[in-house]
Amino acid sequence: MFVTPAYAQAAGGAGSAVASFVPLILIFAIMYFLLIRPQQKKIKEHQKMVQALRRGDQIVTQGGLIGKVSKVKEDGELEVEIAEGVKVRVVRNTVAQVLSKTEPANAN
């Protein structure tokens, strides 16, 4: 008796279908741990840094401006003094780095 190719391919169907998804699952797991998770961690750190900004901190914006925070506004903006008497409004999330932090005042 002759075995048709379609019948021969169906014989190993269930085991090979699961085995064909294992590399796909491994690739997704590797992508998660190498790309997605570190990116989420970096975003959380940036949000924490932005929320901790206060008056007197020296910052660098994503546009490259270096200045000192003169006022923290409630609507997601900062007033930054980039030169003596020159103040600009900056969106809080555009702060790239805090160069120097001011110490909070003691309540003694």
Side-chain angles (χ1 to χ4, degrees), residues 12-81:
S16 66
V18 173
S20 67
F21 283 114
V22 171
L24 186 63
I25 293 169
L26 287 174
I27 289 171
F28 180 74
I30 291 170
M31 293 288 282
Y32 176 77
F33 285 109
L34 291 179
L35 296 175
I36 298 170
R37 191 166 174 230
Q39 187 72 17
Q40 289 174 341
K41 185 177 178 182
K42 186 176 179 182
I43 290 171
K44 282 183 183 179
E45 289 174 0
H46 183 261
Q47 287 175 345
K48 189 184 290 185
M49 177 194 67
V50 167
Q51 292 302 319
L53 286 173
R54 64 178 61 158
R55 188 172 173 249
D57 291 349
Q58 190 171 6
I59 62 167
V60 177
T61 66
Q62 290 177 355
L65 293 175
I66 299 174
K68 188 175 283 193
V69 177
S70 60
K71 185 189 253 185
V72 178
K73 298 183 178 183
E74 295 297 324
D75 56 349
E77 290 182 3
L78 300 171
E79 191 171 284
V80 179
E81 185 173 9

Side-chain angles (χ1 to χ4, degrees), residues 85-103:
V86 179
K87 294 181 181 179
V88 294
R89 289 179 13 200
V90 176
V91 176
R92 228 178 222 235
N93 288 331
T94 61
V95 175
Q97 183 180 5
V98 177
L99 297 176
S100 63
K101 298 279 298 167
T102 57
E103 295 299 322

